[in-house]
Amino acid sequence: MKKVKIALMALILALLVAFPLFDSNLYHQQLMNQVFVNIIVVMGLNFITGLTGQMNLGTAGIFALGAYGSALTCTKLGTPVWLGFPIAIVIGFLIGRGLGYPSLRVKGVYLSLTTIGFSEVVRLILTNAIDFTGGSQGVQNIPFLNLFGFEFNTPFKIYYLYFALTIIMAIAAARIVSSKWGRVFKAIRDNSDAVEACGIDVANLKILAFTMAAVYGCIGGFLYTHMMGYINPTAFNQDLSVNYLVMMMIGGIGSVAGNILGAVMVTLLPEILRFMQNYYWLIFSIITLIFAVFLPYGIVSLFKKSERQERHFDIFHSIKKAREIWGGRIAK
Amino acid sequence: MKKVETMSAHGATTISKSWFRKITALVMALCLTFSYGCAGNSQSSDVSGSPSTANSAAEQKFDGKITIGVSAGITGSIPMAGERTLQGVKMAVEEINAKGGVLGKELVIEVADDQSNQSVVINAVNKLASNPDVVAIIGPHLSGSVMAASDTLKKAKVPFLSQGTSPKLRTIGNEYLFKIRPCDAISAEVAAKYAVEDLGAKKVGISYNNNDFGVGGKGVIEAYLTKVGVPFVSEGHNSGDKDLTGQIMKLKNENVDVVISWTDDAESALTARQFYELNLNKPVITSTATSTQQVLDLIDEKAVEGFYSVCDFVITDPSEEVQDFAKRFKEKYGIAPDQYAGNNYSVTYLIADAITRAGKADREAIREALASTKDVSGLSGTYHADSNNELIHECKLVQIKSKVPQVIKTISVDVK
């Protein structure tokens, strides 16, 4: 079984590497680049909403700050473009800390509202701070990424860079999901009181989850901005946050493979359905609805054991595992 | 080990569930295959979706096809604009084909929905540009969308004709971009000039939308008022705002003589309603929105009576061409045309004219032909390309009377 899985994975990777060599259509390449950006953002959202169960509807705000942070530093200060990457990480870290604290006090719907508020505040600041952000006219002439004098200025070149980055970030995300952090995150989602009773600092871990979500989101924004070359605040609206949530729900909550599937599907499906002309968005919404009703745990649950059993299994297992890892340290 | 135990405990439910799952998986797989399969045929379905092929007898007399791309916001924040655009373009295409097409070839359109959102716009124009048959693109409409799409279309070397009116479009230096409506720098200045010269304003209030369009217009109005030495107060609002009481009360307290409102459709309706409710009682000059039917439909007659509006296409324009177009459009679609329908109808003719002048359906040749456009008449004025690739250099000033915009005068600006 494992061999089949590895062979399948290798096949998909080989196909993806070969894709732009055989398909020189810029539209297809650009779409794939968008898919990569979306995969990274959804993997981030997965940490906080998928694993830790804290509803975050502020992804658009996080994404926008990552995008603007990098765009403004390199257009206003003329710094090297790659510097946007560490800047995105720092911004992500700060947002994660800042958003993480309220999440300790507010739960459920109220946390959703806080995060919506955050992303709307970001959007309105970007719109109204005209002298600094260019307001609604956006930031123009954002340079492409370059490394050692090599400029990533066509969708073809961007494809390979983003593809490599996505793989690295996906491996990191998968490792985190199955690490002790990942397990504690799941345990917090399932029963945060029990986790606390095991002597684990829930507050710190929630902030950690938020921070990772924000760092991934900001890196996504950074990649987006240097791919588009022009950004304005209207793109970073509430629809975008919801869209990322939909990607996560459709693909599979809590699983990196699911996030990837979801991002691929929600980004590509509307484009594939374009031939339906006026009805394509309707059909897309219906397909989304069908998925939500019949596969509440996402596409990935088709390939897994019943999620109910898994959850049942997970609550106890993850608490036990967490207790072993963290309890030992506390006992010292 | 634990896993196995749990499995057997729920054995019965697992079986029925797994059946259910398999069926669901099958249905979804079918759905996807179906959509992929159809996507493969998208080329042909696009073409058959265009009105021209409906007439198979007419098809035979053509020697090949010329495809024009249309990028319009059919879904998204301004779907009405997208629908009217398509209707206008389709009507023109049908008429042109009925008259024998362009260069003996049939004119067809390929439509891509851009959702009026910059990320989707990129995909829409990329899709159109990646089709080598597409020789020119109508749209995208919004200035922000144009900025997002500009680089892509410049690289692909596709001429595109946009309704974007932001003065900032003058600065992006894209020779493939053609602007088919008067720049806001022109229409906003016309509004400010009318306020000062004809209405004799001593202090002007500006109510503007904090988006690309509103801020651009506000800048031009403020520059003009500063130049002529008339004081002004500016109050901004955001797209989607539902209450402007604060802003309007401020204008009222500042005792302005004339208010210039520079905002989008929904906000224009809201502004007009609240001006009336808060009893502003001052002459109001607005951007194009107020003269369009969809906005007038949202406002009470009393609230909008006497408003001035600066616009380029208006169906009450007494000229024969406009009246004839309005009549035929209404017969065909059962609804009155707006500026999106009118302008894009005209522009389709303009492209057909450019292709004829170029003598071949080639992107570069069409760009050159468009850039040397002179005295081609359209519904909102005479098309005449200047060094900025702006094609229209005149606006109409209308006054709303009993919810009908009446043209007061046409103001032209010199072609640079």
Side-chain angles (χ1 to χ4, degrees):
Chain A
M1 192 61 195
K2 197 161 186 194
K3 270 185 187 159
V4 177
K5 228 178 172 179
I6 291 172
L8 202 70
M9 209 101 105
L11 183 72
I12 293 173
L13 280 182
L15 281 178
L16 281 173
V17 170
F19 167 75
L21 298 175
F22 292 106
D23 188 350
S24 59
N25 190 322
L26 288 181
Y27 163 61
H28 295 161
Q29 291 177 1
Q30 177 87 21
L31 268 181
M32 286 308 291
N33 296 343
Q34 284 187 8
V35 169
F36 292 140
V37 170
N38 287 344
I39 288 175
I40 291 174
V41 180
V42 176
M43 286 190 306
L45 182 64
N46 185 42
F47 289 128
I48 185 65
T49 307
L51 294 170
T52 319
Q54 308 293 307
M55 185 53 93
N56 175 9
L57 280 168
T59 319
I62 296 172
F63 189 67
L65 284 181
Y68 266 89
S70 177
L72 289 175
T73 34
C74 69
T75 52
K76 298 237 161 175
L77 304 178
T79 51
V81 185
W82 59 265
L83 210 62
F85 193 74
I87 289 173
I89 294 178
V90 171
I91 294 176
F93 184 78
L94 294 176
I95 303 172
R97 293 266 138 181
L99 262 187
Y101 278 108
S103 81
L104 305 177
R105 304 246 169 232
V106 290
K107 283 194 177 119
V109 178
Y110 303 101
L111 181 63
S112 312
L113 291 175
T114 315
T115 50
I116 291 177
F118 160 76
S119 88
E120 282 298 288
V121 165
V122 168
R123 190 174 66 84
L124 290 174
I125 289 176
L126 293 178
T127 313
N128 290 298
I130 297 167
D131 294 334
F132 183 55
T133 63
S136 52
Q137 306 200 327
V139 186
Q140 283 169 273
N141 302 326
I142 304 167
F144 288 106
L145 271 173
N146 60 60
L147 276 180
F148 312 113
F150 183 78
E151 201 179 29
F152 294 89
N153 53 3
T154 61
F156 179 78
K157 292 175 192 164
I158 292 176
Y159 179 91
Y160 284 106
L161 178 71
Y162 285 16
F163 182 42
L165 272 173
T166 308
I167 290 180
I168 295 170
M169 308 230 8
I171 292 172
R175 298 293 294 168
I176 294 170
V177 168
S178 49
S179 72
K180 69 175 180 189
W181 282 356
R183 287 174 186 283
V184 181
F185 288 160
K186 281 187 207 166
I188 292 175
R189 174 189 70 191
D190 293 332
N191 191 337
S192 94
D193 293 337
V195 176
E196 203 146 26
C198 295
I200 293 168
D201 187 353
V202 173
N204 228 341
L205 281 155
K206 273 190 187 172
I207 293 176
L208 182 73
F210 256 111
T211 309
M212 277 193 305
V215 168
Y216 267 70
C218 282
I219 291 176
F222 159 74
L223 297 177
Y224 175 84
T225 196
H226 293 293
M227 175 176 82
M228 298 289 279
Y230 169 77
I231 46 173
N232 75 30
T234 51
F236 306 105
N237 52 15
Q238 205 50 46
D239 288 357
L240 188 72
S241 302
V242 174
N243 215 13
Y244 282 122
L245 209 61
V246 170
M247 289 181 199
M248 195 182 72
M249 299 293 215
I250 283 194
I253 297 170
S255 133
V256 173
N259 299 156
I260 296 174
L261 279 174
V264 170
M265 180 163 152
V266 175
T267 318
L268 295 186
L269 196 57
E271 297 294 327
I272 293 169
L273 293 174
R274 269 191 191 278
F275 70 93
M276 295 187 166
Q277 307 214 343
N278 290 356
Y279 298 97
Y280 83 108
W281 205 249
L282 176 75
I283 304 289
F284 170 70
S285 308
I286 290 174
I287 294 179
T288 311
L289 189 68
I290 293 174
F291 270 89
V293 171
F294 291 109
L295 283 175
Y297 294 103
I299 304 172
V300 82
S301 65
L302 280 172
F303 309 107
K304 272 190 174 174
K305 296 164 292 316
S306 155
E307 185 75 20
R308 199 169 129 211
Q309 289 166 15
E310 175 141 296
R311 273 177 67 111
H312 179 71
F313 164 75
D314 249 0
I315 296 175
F316 296 106
H317 186 70
S318 43
I319 293 178
K320 199 178 149 213
K321 219 25 197 215
R323 193 190 287 150
E324 277 168 18
I325 297 164
W326 293 78
R329 188 189 285 177
I330 289 158
K332 276 182 215 158
Chain B
M1 282 309 283
K2 231 172 195 153
K3 270 186 195 173
V4 178
E5 280 166 33
T6 355
M7 288 264 273
S8 56
H10 296 280
T13 50
T14 319
I15 289 168
S16 65
K17 271 224 160 143
S18 74
W19 261 106
F20 182 62
R21 267 156 195 288
K22 274 177 191 152
I23 291 169
T24 321
L26 197 69
V27 170
M28 303 220 164
L30 280 177
C31 269
L32 281 179
T33 335
F34 166 74
S35 57
Y36 272 105
C38 294
N41 298 332
S42 63
Q43 208 61 35
S44 58
S45 63
D46 270 342
V47 174
S48 66
S50 78
S52 44
T53 35
N55 191 346
S56 62
E59 202 177 0
Q60 283 156 10
K61 67 183 183 199
F62 295 116
D63 156 38
K65 283 177 179 138
I66 294 176
T67 312
I68 298 174
V70 183
S71 164
I74 298 160
T75 62
S77 57
I78 45 167
M80 186 84 91
E83 194 186 330
R84 294 286 169 275
T85 300
L86 267 191
Q87 288 172 337
V89 172
K90 281 184 178 169
M91 189 169 150
V93 166
E94 275 176 36
E95 289 174 13
I96 292 168
N97 284 332
K99 285 179 213 149
V102 182
L103 301 175
K105 296 191 167 90
E106 185 189 14
L107 205 59
V108 292
I109 54 170
E110 182 175 336
V111 183
D113 177 19
D114 63 29
Q115 296 185 10
S116 312
N117 169 315
Q118 64 160 30
S119 303
V120 189
V121 161
I122 289 284
N123 292 338
V125 297
N126 248 322
K127 178 160 198 277
L128 294 173
S130 71
N131 178 356
D133 293 339
V134 171
V135 292
I137 294 175
I138 298 176
H141 293 316
L142 301 183
S143 299
S145 304
V146 177
M147 302 254 226
S150 170
D151 267 0
T152 307
L153 291 175
K154 192 176 179 179
K155 271 184 205 147
K157 298 188 189 301
V158 193
F160 62 115
L161 298 98
S162 170
Q163 304 217 10
T165 51
S166 165
K168 207 159 185 177
L169 295 181
R170 285 177 168 175
T171 65
I172 58 176
N174 184 346
E175 68 273 25
Y176 291 89
L177 165 63
F178 293 86
K179 284 148 281 186
I180 56 167
R181 288 184 61 202
C183 175
D184 287 338
I186 300 174
S187 43
E189 189 166 329
V190 165
K193 208 171 174 181
Y194 193 78
V196 175
E197 287 177 7
D198 295 50
L199 299 176
K202 296 278 171 288
K203 188 171 187 184
V204 177
I206 306 168
S207 163
Y208 66 97
N209 193 326
N210 245 328
N211 65 9
D212 210 22
F213 167 68
V215 175
K218 174 199 146 215
V220 173
I221 297 167
E222 285 182 349
Y224 178 81
L225 292 176
T226 316
K227 197 176 80 187
V228 297
V230 173
F232 55 85
V233 195
S234 303
E235 281 298 313
H237 55 259
N238 291 308
S239 285
D241 275 1
K242 297 281 177 272
D243 182 42
L244 307 177
T245 310
Q247 288 95 324
I248 296 170
M249 287 316 285
K250 176 133 187 251
L251 293 180
K252 216 177 152 181
N253 291 338
E254 293 275 350
N255 270 327
V256 297
D257 298 320
V258 176
V259 177
I260 302 178
S261 157
W262 217 251
T263 184
D264 288 338
D265 289 10
E267 292 77 16
S268 287
L270 179 73
T271 312
R273 199 158 56 230
Q274 292 206 324
F275 278 168
Y276 180 71
E277 283 167 5
L278 296 169
N279 212 0
L280 189 77
N281 267 335
K282 296 280 186 284
V284 181
I285 307 175
T286 72
S287 50
T288 309
T290 321
S291 62
T292 59
Q293 197 55 43
Q294 68 262 30
V295 172
L296 287 172
D297 285 345
L298 295 172
I299 323 174
D300 209 41
E301 191 183 315
K302 280 176 286 185
V304 74
E305 185 68 23
F307 270 38
Y308 297 95
S309 169
V310 184
C311 57
D312 49 330
F313 173 85
V314 57
I315 55 164
T316 46
D317 187 339
S319 87
E320 208 172 286
E321 293 86 19
V322 174
Q323 286 313 313
D324 181 46
F325 165 73
K327 195 172 139 246
R328 281 180 292 129
F329 191 91
K330 200 154 188 178
E331 268 168 22
K332 189 167 166 59
Y333 298 110
I335 190 156
D338 64 357
Q339 60 95 352
Y340 288 100
N343 278 326
N344 287 305
Y345 171 86
S346 288
V347 149
T348 314
Y349 270 101
L350 176 65
I351 294 177
D353 177 70
I355 297 174
T356 316
R357 276 186 284 133
K360 55 183 171 184
D362 171 76
R363 289 176 178 179
E364 196 59 45
I366 293 174
R367 189 199 71 76
E368 277 163 22
L370 281 171
S372 58
T373 301
K374 270 197 183 76
D375 301 326
V376 177
S377 67
L379 294 178
S380 52
T382 309
Y383 293 114
H384 192 118
D386 67 5
S387 53
N388 280 324
N389 279 355
E390 274 166 29
L391 293 161
I392 289 277
H393 306 272
E394 59 189 67
C395 333
K396 296 181 180 70
L397 197 93
V398 299
Q399 188 170 29
I400 317 289
K401 285 179 183 146
S402 312
K403 282 183 108 167
V404 179
Q406 309 280 1
V407 179
I408 296 182
K409 62 176 176 182
T410 302
I411 301 156
S412 350
V413 197
D414 294 338
V415 181
K416 275 179 242 85

